[in-house]
Amino acid sequence: MKKEVQVHSLFSDFDISLFKAGKHYRLYEKFGAHIMEVNSEKGVYFAVWAPTAKSVSVIGDFNYWLEGEHPLNVRWDESGIWEGFIPGVEKGAKYKYKIQSNNNDMNLEKADPYALKCEHPPNTASIVWDLDYKWKDKKYISKRKDINGLDKPYSIYEVHLSSWRKNMDEHRSLTYSEMADELVSYVKEMEFTHVEFMPIMEYPYDPSWGYQLTGYFAPTSRFGTPQEFMELMDAFHKAGIGVILDWVPSHFPEDKHGLGMFDGSHLYEHPDPRKGYHPDWKSLIFNYGRNEVRSFLISNAIFWLDKYHVDGLRVDAVASMLYLDYSREDGEWEPNEHGGRENLDAISFVRDLNTEVYRSFEGVQTIAEESTSFPMVSKPVDLGGLGFGMKWMMGWMHDTLEYFKKDPIYRQHHHNDISFSMTYTFTENFALPLSHDEVVYGKKSLLGRMPGDEWQRFANLRLLYSYMYTHPGAKLLFMGAEIGQYEEWNYNTSLDWHLLEHEPHQGIKKALTDLNKLYKSRPALHEKQFSAEGFEWIAYDDSQNSVLSYLRKGNDPKDTLVIVCNFTPTVLKDYSLGLPSKGKLKEVFNSDDKKYWGSGMRNKPVKIEKNSFHGKDYSAKISIPPLGTVVFEIL
């Protein structure tokens, strides 16, 4: 029996004023489908923003998908919000909005922008759901401020959930519940401090890797329910591991059921294609100058931190947001009101986003994937910055990988490429990324980039990781890097876990595990990782030997570590090294250790003599292994 839509609203006048001003950051509490009881009847309240619509109906499996059976009521306040309570609709019901536009008589079927659950792609309906769950991570959340601070270790394992590991018997990806066991225990075993998921918000097209979203408030149904994703979050927190989500406020796809032309008008996207269409990704760009869109996006960021207890957001493609001429030729973009190329609306949006995130949640971080020299990305908003906690160090990534591709015999002529990063590393709070983008589209795997014979390739890879982990800044490695994948990443298949049957790959995994332990346990490597006070060159100019040597320092001077990297296969014995104080040098890590499939060249404790060298008052003679990094403490 048909039940009429009843007039009901979750919006107060204050909600509406905030929404129109672009300052409502909890819209998920108002919009969408909310299971509730009204006038002693159980059902669902629906609310959607469609200001140019002539009519909006809810269609679903509860009314045979018939338009007009359950028409929503438009609010009187010109907010453009359509709403109403439908008795009898239950959790699990499938639905969409049927929208007739005033603009062009378009008849549209749209998924709910605020849906908490979506059908498994390629199906596109929204699903009535709730977020009822009893969290068990109160202890972790209470300590998160101390765990997640910028003076704490940030060793991030980047994961694409559907291709990390497959259930080979059933030829499918693991579920959220299975990952709560297998992925959590693996990340813990590898001693990473954080995991970062490539986008888990619902997306229609697998080859997009999740970067073309249609369900901004719904974890993808590919792996289970919202509650099962919460269980995965709980499991990571129980293990003491932070979770970072990739978040994509930069663009969205043109799929018919998505946000594009939502009510027959350019509602979420900018109406000017010079600002509203991305030529590289063939996708639509949000209108950052529209207040209601700003509220939508910031509410979405807050939603994941609030309802899913996420510990950080890595914001995708920030450079494409900041510049009006990004990936555009002359004549394809319009300067801002000051004649510049900066997108002033996007800059204002980003500052509002970060201000609200850090105001509302202790111990979380936002991380910008930003590839240009835009100033003060990771500086506070009140000092004129964009307000991110960290920024990806794309220059370091590019220069380092280009350097490592070169045959060691030529590296002496490119020594500046490997030392140059230290001229700017403290201008931002940098995270060093070796991400999924570096192992696709013919770039080769990290191991595949390395020159030399098989032994040298693995030694080079261990050297790369050792240099990365002793360089200032946070660390990020894409899955598969820890086992020495030969092949590029394929989103459609599992990692090549069978490689761990072989000693060289076991060695890479052990070395990386020990580097994570070193980074976590030694304050010198993380306490001042974003401060020039935490770094000092010993010698950056030994291009003849292709050697870098430097000090890393913690708050306590006794925590100082000495790092020496040899970027050639030549063994260097009796290498003189300038040092700041007397005592003894004791090895605490050596990438050439036999347990890592190295040659086994080690240093016994070395006495530091009162002989000046490298501009230091003291020095010692050490042995540097081929294509190796040695880390010493001073006793």
Side-chain angles (χ1 to χ4, degrees):
M1 181 177 176
K2 176 182 169 184
K3 295 190 176 182
E4 299 294 338
V5 177
Q6 298 179 12
V7 176
H8 187 73
S9 184
L10 293 182
F11 289 90
S12 67
D13 291 344
F14 185 55
D15 288 322
I16 297 300
S17 65
L18 288 176
F19 178 50
K20 289 180 175 180
K23 299 295 183 182
H24 200 311
Y25 303 144
R26 301 294 188 281
L27 289 178
Y28 51 88
E29 296 175 350
K30 309 294 178 178
F31 281 111
H34 296 267
I35 301 168
M36 61 177 56
E37 188 173 305
V38 175
N39 297 326
S40 301
E41 286 192 283
K42 294 180 179 179
V44 175
Y45 164 80
F46 294 91
V48 64
W49 180 50
T52 67
K54 183 187 301 182
S55 67
V56 178
S57 296
V58 182
I59 58 173
D61 56 6
F62 48 87
N63 62 15
Y64 304 101
W65 302 95
L66 294 175
E67 180 182 2
E69 291 288 296
H70 291 104
L72 297 180
N73 307 296
V74 66
R75 288 183 61 90
W76 55 269
D77 51 20
E78 298 184 349
S79 62
I81 297 170
W82 298 74
E83 60 185 351
F85 175 76
I86 304 178
V89 179
E90 298 178 340
K91 179 177 177 179
K94 298 175 183 178
Y95 71 101
K96 285 185 178 179
Y97 294 116
K98 190 78 168 184
I99 301 174
Q100 286 192 338
S101 175
N102 262 322
N103 276 355
N104 43 28
D105 290 326
M106 291 179 70
N107 205 349
L108 306 163
E109 288 188 7
K110 292 291 187 177
D112 187 349
Y114 292 85
L116 300 177
K117 192 174 188 291
C118 302
E119 278 193 295
H120 192 300
N123 296 325
T124 58
S126 303
I127 299 176
V128 173
W129 209 255
D130 62 40
L131 296 179
D132 294 345
Y133 180 76
K134 187 174 181 180
W135 286 94
K136 308 173 189 67
D137 64 350
K138 184 177 180 180
K139 182 177 180 182
Y140 174 88
I141 296 295
S142 69
K143 295 182 178 179
R144 184 166 61 181
K145 181 177 66 172
D146 299 321
I147 297 171
N148 243 14
L150 293 176
D151 59 346
K152 298 298 190 295
Y154 255 82
S155 176
I156 305 166
Y157 186 59
E158 185 190 22
V159 177
H160 179 255
L161 289 180
S162 67
S163 62
W164 177 70
R165 181 174 287 165
K166 301 279 188 179
N167 182 314
M168 303 310 293
D169 294 335
E170 301 176 22
H171 304 287
R172 62 167 175 81
S173 301
L174 301 184
T175 65
Y176 291 132
S177 297
E178 289 169 332
M179 284 184 248
D181 178 24
E182 296 187 38
L183 179 57
V184 172
S185 61
Y186 181 78
V187 174
K188 184 74 172 176
E189 172 200 342
M190 289 298 303
E191 298 284 347
F192 285 98
T193 64
H194 293 74
V195 66
E196 179 179 317
F197 295 148
M198 292 166 67
I200 55 88
M201 303 81 182
E202 194 61 81
Y203 57 99
Y205 188 49
D206 286 347
S208 78
W209 311 335
Y211 289 97
Q212 299 266 9
L213 306 180
T214 52
Y216 273 76
F217 291 83
T220 179
S221 56
R222 288 167 173 83
F223 316 116
T225 67
Q227 280 73 16
E228 287 166 340
F229 182 64
M230 292 173 178
E231 290 174 4
L232 177 59
M233 293 293 302
D234 245 344
F236 272 114
H237 286 168
K238 182 178 180 182
I241 297 164
V243 181
I244 300 165
L245 297 187
D246 274 12
W247 184 57
V248 190
S250 48
H251 64 118
F252 57 93
E254 294 183 286
D255 294 60
K256 289 183 179 179
H257 69 287
L259 297 178
M261 295 293 290
F262 188 81
D263 62 353
S265 70
H266 298 287
L267 193 61
Y268 288 91
E269 68 272 26
H270 200 287
D272 184 342
R274 294 174 296 180
K275 297 180 181 179
Y277 183 76
H278 199 294
D280 285 352
W281 302 321
K282 307 295 188 291
S283 56
L284 303 173
I285 300 171
F286 284 103
N287 185 352
Y288 305 109
R290 189 163 194 169
N291 286 339
E292 296 90 343
V293 173
R294 293 163 73 103
S295 283
F296 169 80
L297 287 171
I298 297 177
S299 290
N300 184 240
I302 296 299
F303 171 80
W304 293 100
L305 300 168
D306 177 17
K307 297 299 184 181
Y308 284 94
H309 293 202
V310 169
D311 305 295
L313 297 171
R314 176 268 197 187
V315 183
D316 183 62
V318 172
S320 74
M321 299 165 61
L322 297 179
Y323 293 103
L324 296 166
D325 64 344
Y326 184 89
S327 201
R328 297 179 190 274
E329 303 295 333
D330 289 345
E332 296 178 347
W333 63 283
E334 183 180 41
N336 63 34
E337 61 193 63
H338 305 299
R341 51 196 283 258
E342 296 81 13
N343 188 330
L344 302 180
D345 288 334
I347 291 169
S348 171
F349 158 72
V350 166
R351 286 173 171 156
D352 283 354
L353 163 72
N354 285 317
T355 297
E356 181 62 20
V357 166
Y358 285 101
R359 184 189 71 81
S360 299
F361 298 93
E362 275 196 319
V364 304
Q365 299 292 346
T366 59
I367 305 170
E369 189 226 355
E370 204 286 312
S371 55
T372 74
S373 57
F374 193 95
M376 301 179 69
V377 171
S378 59
K379 304 302 180 186
V381 170
D382 56 7
L383 295 180
L386 292 184
F388 288 99
M390 286 180 259
K391 168 182 171 173
W392 274 19
M393 197 175 189
M394 307 296 276
W396 172 89
M397 176 275 296
H398 179 270
D399 290 346
T400 298
L401 291 181
E402 281 297 309
Y403 179 86
F404 269 87
K405 281 168 53 178
K406 293 177 171 60
D407 189 301
I409 197 171
Y410 301 117
R411 288 178 179 173
Q412 62 180 313
H413 306 299
H414 300 274
H415 196 66
N416 185 59
D417 292 348
I418 202 67
S419 62
F420 178 70
S421 61
M422 291 310 307
T423 64
Y424 65 94
T425 196
F426 299 115
T427 59
E428 299 276 5
N429 298 336
F430 279 119
L432 281 55
L434 293 175
S435 75
H436 65 275
D437 278 328
E438 309 317 315
V439 290
V440 289
Y441 299 143
K443 296 177 184 176
K444 300 183 179 180
S445 68
L446 294 181
L447 181 64
R449 282 174 161 86
M450 300 300 157
D453 59 26
E454 189 79 344
W455 188 90
Q456 290 183 355
R457 292 172 73 196
F458 279 92
N460 265 304
L461 192 59
R462 296 192 303 270
L463 172 60
L464 168 62
Y465 296 157
S466 304
Y467 165 64
M468 175 185 186
Y469 269 77
T470 56
H471 188 289
K475 330 294 176 190
L476 178 140
L477 278 171
F478 182 54
M479 64 182 200
E482 78 281 10
I483 63 175
Q485 293 259 130
Y486 284 111
E487 303 297 328
E488 285 189 347
W489 169 56
N490 182 342
Y491 74 91
N492 217 18
T493 63
S494 172
L495 296 181
D496 294 332
W497 294 106
H498 63 276
L499 293 176
L500 290 175
E501 298 170 7
H502 307 290
E503 191 176 353
H505 301 275
Q506 294 171 11
I508 290 290
K509 185 170 180 282
K510 290 176 184 175
L512 193 52
T513 302
D514 286 350
L515 282 167
N516 275 326
K517 289 180 181 177
L518 186 74
Y519 178 47
K520 290 162 65 175
S521 64
R522 297 287 176 161
L525 294 179
H526 60 256
E527 281 185 341
K528 295 183 176 182
Q529 59 190 337
F530 302 121
S531 167
E533 296 176 353
F535 179 90
E536 182 181 339
W537 281 117
I538 295 175
Y540 61 86
D541 56 355
D542 188 2
S543 58
Q544 183 177 354
N545 290 305
S546 296
V547 169
L548 290 180
S549 53
Y550 44 93
L551 305 174
R552 292 296 308 280
K553 305 174 184 179
N555 294 328
D556 187 338
K558 294 179 182 178
D559 290 330
T560 299
L561 293 179
V562 179
I563 294 101
V564 187
C565 301
N566 176 12
F567 296 98
T568 75
T570 303
V571 175
L572 299 173
K573 294 187 176 180
D574 294 326
Y575 185 90
S576 294
L577 189 70
L579 294 164
S581 61
K582 62 181 179 180
K584 286 186 177 181
L585 283 182
K586 179 187 175 183
E587 267 192 13
V588 295
F589 176 82
N590 187 326
S591 69
D592 191 49
D593 197 303
K594 282 189 175 181
K595 65 183 177 181
Y596 308 142
W597 207 56
S599 69
M601 183 175 180
R602 302 295 302 271
N603 286 273
K604 295 179 179 178
V606 180
K607 186 177 180 182
I608 301 172
E609 305 287 350
K610 184 72 168 79
N611 296 318
S612 61
F613 201 73
H614 286 144
K616 313 289 185 187
D617 291 336
Y618 302 88
S619 63
K621 291 186 179 295
I622 62 170
S623 295
I624 315 178
L627 295 170
T629 294
V630 188
V631 181
F632 300 93
E633 62 181 356
I634 300 175
L635 300 177

